[in-house]
Amino acid sequence: MAETTSTAESSDVALRSSIDRSLRHPVMFFFSSGAVWLALAIVLGLVASAKKHSPEFLSYFSWLDAGKVDAAHMSAMIYGWGFQAAFGMIIWLMARLSRKECTAAGTILWAGHVWNAVVFYGVIRIMMGEGSGIAWMEFPGEVWPVLLLCYAAITIWSLIQFQVRDAGHVFVSQWYLLAGLLWFPWIALTAWMFVFVFDGGHPLMVTGIAAWFKATLFFLFFLPTALASAYYLAPKVTGRPVYSYNIALFGFWSLAFFGPWAGMQRLMGAPIPQFLPYAGAASMVLILIPAIAVGYNVIKTVMVSREVVAESPSLRFTVSGILAFIAFGVLSMLLHTVPSMKMTQFSYSGYGLDILGIYGVFSLCAFGAIYFIVPRITRREWLSRRFITWHFYFSLYGVLAIVTCAIIGGMSQGQGIEDLSQPFSTMAGRASQFGWGVTLAWGCLLFANLSFCLHLLLMWARLGRRSSHPTLLKGHSVGNPHGPEGEIDNYTSASV
Amino acid sequence: MTFKAFIFGLLGTFGIPWLLVVVIPYSTMRTPVPVQYEEGSQLSGAFIPSREGRITEGSKIYGQEGCYQCHTQIIRPTYAGNDVHRGEWAGLRKGPDVKVDTRRETIADDFQQEKVAHIGQSRVGPDLSNFGRRLAHYLKANKSELTSEEWILMHLYHPSDLPGYKDGAKPYDSACPSKGGLFNEIEVFGAGSGTLPVNIKAGRGVKPTDRARALASYLLSLKKDTLGNPLPEALNYNTEAPVSDK
């Protein structure tokens, strides 16, 4: 996390620290409440997964019924954790990259509170059996306009900062941030209008548009935010320029080209215009192209200084997130060819890919960003190297286990349904074995995120270390560029 | 790359798929052409799905209770899956007490009166496209004393307790979690209290709520066969089909 400040002008340092100060409340709020939502989403995921193989588990509580708990799990994960982590990353990265202080921290903080209240209300309604019953859009209809208004109140300032920035080079991360900021309202407004507002649409198209929303929400909002953070951190932490500008350009535009077509492969074989599911499947296959482009570019950027990747928590998480993106591209290609669609369309493997996207790609990059941003805005260093290490290894192990179990289990489940010589119960038995694996893996993720959540809340309470030494994952006392370890009040030193 | 080029690039790369994938298909599907029966079949004119019951409300509850997480409602054409040949998912097979093979793929009109088509997320449980017809058929074949409605309500209340509809002697092998929240436990004084034929404690009975009844009514309306009258759009029954599970 060594930021090369030695050559920077002192006014530059002052500007950065004033940007950080202007944003510390909203950003810390988004990260901490997001982390709490993530822990909750993981608990719900554990319950949902357990009910798939042990139907009697917690069956006394009807608000935790199978079906409803799946919906609550995904909604808490996406709208509670995903969006809030993304908001924190977007507003901080855009302010830093446009070199403008945030002048609307109060409004953002208010909108953030409303967002949390509305997500909480939505999750409760789902558990009461009053959701909409549409995958990934399970919140009842009235929630969506409020969420959109909050989104506007939170992110409009980032667009303004970009608009009033001093003229100059626009960095790769800014393309992704700007595009994501513009794509999301378009996607969400479309989905809300077509699914909840317009009357008389065909039920199949309503389902199709919700499926399109689900896919594009990941490709065109979560993914760009994660990649913006990766393109910011990789050069920043290693102190090297991005490996290739042209590959970055290609990676960005290939995502912009292929992303918007995805989603309707969920309706393969349904009586809708036939090119829709094929366009969706093609887009899921072609997503490998931006995955390889971005992956190659970021890995090439950081690989010149491997020891930094090993030491820095931010880079470790970010590089894992980028590797997960490459894995996502490869698996997405393999699972969406026409022969494999037969087996994967209605099996666990779709869930495995969703989790790889949301937890593997987006969340790992978000953790990387959080480990970088939080010490800067709180002016305290992370307390415990051990907490970070636990968080890292258990996250990695958990997400790998979920993805492996869900995808292999899903393939064997799908194969079982296709194989007419086997009764249906054979396939149900196969799926439930892998279901146990998924449940145990959620347990790992729960442990990882409890240590993360606790650590973050301690930082939020300003109990971090007051030191000029960043918390690195390996010992480094000799020849440290920060000088000998000591209690330094970097509040004053940085605002010189 | 100038800012203007960037914005136009975004408009183009997103706007075109947005029109082609979302807006245009949505508007064309708003006014679908009704499917006509084949010339020379017993029925003529447009196909109207033979569904009755509280479909709109039941479909909403089906979604709210999250049934679509584990059950699908789609019979894909064979290029996309073997659904047509799996058990009685797509319709009844020709047999001693079934004269015509009524299996067929799902067509767009099957979802009439529903707000959302519950295509489903995964097949942890079986496909429900033809659930109503399938259940009635098995209860009849096994000379069960339960009506279809009683059976499905008991299934929703406690799936693993139910006598099997395939084999009366063996308990029904179900991994479906209970939907106990849709039922009330009430005090029972004599007969006629509208409770389910399940034994809990003496003097107590299980009574389905309105939601449970609406959901049951919807589930029993899922009959995606056309009584053997072929539809040109979705015909896919084949007497030479591979033999499926018992």
Side-chain angles (χ1 to χ4, degrees):
Chain A
M1 308 214 298
E3 199 181 327
T4 327
T5 53
S6 50
T7 54
E9 298 285 332
S10 63
S11 65
D12 204 46
V13 177
L15 174 66
R16 273 193 302 221
S17 78
S18 66
I19 292 172
D20 290 348
R21 281 181 69 182
S22 73
L23 274 169
R24 66 187 163 180
H25 292 302
V27 170
M28 266 328 268
F29 174 76
F30 283 131
F31 287 161
S32 341
S33 57
V36 175
W37 273 111
L38 179 60
L40 183 72
I42 291 173
V43 173
L44 293 171
L46 206 151
V47 175
S49 171
K51 280 181 179 255
K52 295 250 165 60
H53 52 76
S54 314
E56 296 293 322
F57 182 64
L58 294 181
S59 63
Y60 182 74
F61 304 102
S62 70
W63 49 276
L64 276 177
D65 269 356
K68 290 190 286 192
V69 76
D70 294 74
H73 152 59
M74 266 331 227
S75 300
M77 178 95 116
I78 295 158
Y79 302 99
W81 153 247
F83 269 92
Q84 299 208 72
F87 289 150
M89 290 154 79
I90 290 169
I91 57 178
W92 189 84
L93 285 171
M94 200 49 134
R96 275 286 197 111
L97 287 166
S98 305
R99 307 180 66 74
K100 291 285 166 201
E101 281 176 43
C102 178
T103 50
T107 316
I108 296 179
L109 202 55
W110 264 104
H113 279 91
V114 177
W115 179 281
N116 266 281
V118 171
V119 171
F120 184 70
Y121 166 82
V123 170
I124 295 290
R125 289 287 299 270
I126 290 174
M127 289 188 148
M128 286 164 64
E130 291 164 3
S132 71
I134 302 167
W136 277 42
M137 297 191 80
E138 275 107 348
F139 288 152
E142 68 270 20
V143 164
W144 301 97
V146 187
L147 287 185
L148 268 168
L149 284 177
C150 292
Y151 173 87
I154 292 166
T155 56
I156 187 92
W157 316 106
S158 299
L159 291 175
I160 294 172
Q161 281 168 349
F162 181 80
Q163 195 57 39
V164 301
R165 76 195 187 282
D166 304 323
H169 182 65
V170 178
F171 185 59
V172 190
S173 298
Q174 280 168 299
W175 312 339
Y176 279 108
L177 290 172
L178 197 60
L181 284 175
L182 298 174
W183 277 326
F184 174 72
W186 196 344
I187 293 168
L189 204 61
T190 306
W192 175 57
M193 296 297 276
F194 281 88
V195 173
F196 291 102
V197 180
F198 294 155
D199 237 1
H202 197 283
L204 276 164
M205 273 317 287
V206 173
T207 310
I209 291 170
W212 173 82
F213 169 78
K214 171 181 166 177
T216 47
L217 177 64
F218 175 66
F219 282 160
L220 302 181
F221 181 72
F222 286 126
L223 197 53
T225 311
L227 299 183
S229 152
Y231 269 119
Y232 179 82
L233 292 178
K236 188 92 174 168
V237 179
T238 53
R240 314 257 170 176
V242 171
Y243 175 69
S244 159
Y245 178 78
N246 285 331
I247 297 180
L249 207 58
F250 174 74
F252 174 81
W253 284 112
S254 53
L255 178 67
F257 264 103
F258 301 136
W261 298 90
M264 299 231 188
Q265 74 281 355
R266 292 292 316 153
L267 279 80
M268 184 66 89
I272 54 171
Q274 259 203 330
F275 84 97
L276 293 175
Y278 281 103
S283 152
M284 295 300 286
V285 168
L286 291 169
I287 211 70
L288 180 60
I289 294 172
I292 289 177
V294 174
Y296 182 75
N297 211 6
V298 173
I299 304 286
K300 271 295 215 186
T301 307
V302 296
M303 268 309 146
V304 279
S305 37
R306 285 167 201 228
E307 69 289 350
V308 183
V309 180
E311 275 176 6
S312 153
S314 317
L315 262 201
R316 253 205 218 187
F317 274 100
T318 303
V319 169
S320 314
I322 291 299
L323 290 174
F325 183 30
I326 299 176
F328 181 93
V330 173
L331 285 171
S332 179
M333 183 197 73
L334 294 177
L335 297 179
H336 290 93
T337 59
V338 174
S340 54
M341 274 296 287
K342 284 186 182 186
M343 292 185 275
T344 57
Q345 188 179 359
F346 295 124
S347 71
Y348 278 147
S349 28
Y351 179 72
L353 204 62
D354 290 346
I355 296 297
L356 180 60
I358 288 293
Y359 199 97
V361 184
F362 172 76
S363 302
L364 289 184
C365 286
F367 295 140
I370 290 173
Y371 281 117
F372 185 85
I373 295 171
V374 169
R376 281 162 179 75
I377 52 178
T378 57
R379 300 193 172 281
R380 300 285 189 279
E381 290 299 335
W382 291 97
L383 282 167
S384 160
R385 186 187 292 184
R386 184 171 295 157
F387 273 8
I388 302 177
T389 317
W390 280 348
H391 180 208
F392 180 72
Y393 284 110
F394 278 92
S395 283
L396 216 55
Y397 179 78
V399 72
L400 271 177
I402 290 182
V403 171
T404 313
C405 287
I407 288 183
I408 296 179
M411 292 301 275
S412 113
Q413 177 193 14
Q415 196 277 331
I417 300 176
E418 285 298 289
D419 180 0
L420 296 171
S421 64
Q422 298 288 327
F424 186 77
S425 53
T426 308
M427 114 41 232
R430 287 184 191 174
S432 97
Q433 290 162 6
F434 287 100
W436 274 100
V438 174
T439 307
L440 292 176
W442 278 118
C444 283
L445 287 187
L446 182 62
F447 178 76
N449 283 286
L450 286 179
S451 60
F452 167 66
C453 193
L454 176 67
H455 206 176
L456 188 60
L457 292 177
L458 289 173
M459 293 291 281
W460 189 39
R462 294 182 67 82
L463 291 172
R465 290 188 302 119
R466 289 160 65 88
S467 161
S468 62
H469 281 235
T471 307
L472 299 180
L473 297 175
K474 286 190 173 165
H476 57 94
S477 52
V478 186
N480 190 314
H482 303 281
E485 172 78 78
E487 283 272 310
I488 295 169
D489 184 356
N490 55 10
Y491 192 93
T492 44
S493 68
S495 50
V496 171
Chain B
M1 183 169 57
T2 63
F3 184 65
K4 212 185 237 174
F6 180 79
I7 293 296
F8 275 113
L10 286 190
L11 276 175
T13 52
F14 187 81
I16 293 168
W18 179 73
L19 281 175
L20 292 182
V21 173
V22 176
V23 180
I24 295 173
Y26 183 89
S27 359
T28 48
M29 291 272 294
R30 270 172 86 96
T31 47
V33 185
V35 183
Q36 304 285 329
Y37 282 107
E38 288 272 36
E39 291 276 327
S41 56
Q42 290 167 327
L43 299 172
S44 58
F47 162 71
I48 297 163
S50 56
R51 299 178 71 182
E52 54 202 28
R54 294 157 74 178
I55 296 169
T56 312
E57 193 193 349
S59 167
K60 190 174 139 202
I61 296 169
Y62 181 95
Q64 291 178 330
E65 293 293 329
C67 306
Y68 62 91
Q69 302 276 5
C70 296
H71 292 281
T72 57
Q73 285 184 30
I74 183 173
I75 303 300
R76 298 172 292 178
T78 42
Y79 72 81
N82 270 338
D83 310 348
V84 160
H85 303 305
R86 165 67 66 188
E88 266 80 21
W89 280 11
L92 301 185
R93 282 158 187 277
K94 198 173 171 179
D97 47 352
V98 181
K99 292 201 186 77
V100 203
D101 193 319
T102 59
R103 286 173 293 157
R104 68 161 173 85
E105 303 157 3
T106 297
I107 60 169
D109 280 347
D110 283 327
F111 300 101
Q112 277 183 15
Q113 302 179 50
E114 295 186 55
K115 172 89 176 99
V116 185
H118 296 296
I119 292 293
Q121 295 292 301
S122 73
R123 283 178 172 157
V124 180
D127 186 271
L128 299 180
S129 298
N130 191 40
F131 175 75
R133 182 76 66 212
R134 199 151 49 100
L135 177 62
H137 176 66
Y138 282 123
L139 290 178
K140 197 173 136 200
N142 284 305
K143 300 186 178 65
S144 169
E145 288 169 1
L146 296 173
T147 63
S148 288
E149 196 192 9
E150 279 170 341
W151 192 95
I152 183 60
L153 285 171
M154 285 170 71
H155 176 82
L156 292 171
Y157 178 66
H158 204 169
S160 48
D161 274 0
L162 204 56
Y165 67 55
K166 286 192 177 181
D167 177 359
K170 205 174 71 179
Y172 179 59
D173 177 26
S174 172
C176 187
S178 156
K179 279 284 171 195
L182 296 176
F183 297 85
N184 292 322
E185 212 177 281
I186 57 161
E187 239 173 305
V188 178
F189 309 98
S193 52
T195 53
L196 295 180
V198 288
N199 293 322
I200 41 170
K201 274 172 265 166
R204 310 281 293 171
V206 174
K207 189 168 183 174
T209 58
D210 277 355
R211 278 173 73 83
R213 288 197 184 279
L215 179 58
S217 155
Y218 168 73
L219 289 170
L220 296 178
S221 82
L222 295 170
K223 295 171 184 171
K224 290 185 179 163
D225 60 22
T226 40
L227 308 174
N229 292 288
L231 290 166
E233 297 241 328
L235 176 64
N236 207 345
Y237 72 84
N238 177 4
T239 44
E240 303 303 317
V243 180
S244 169
D245 56 313
K246 305 146 277 191

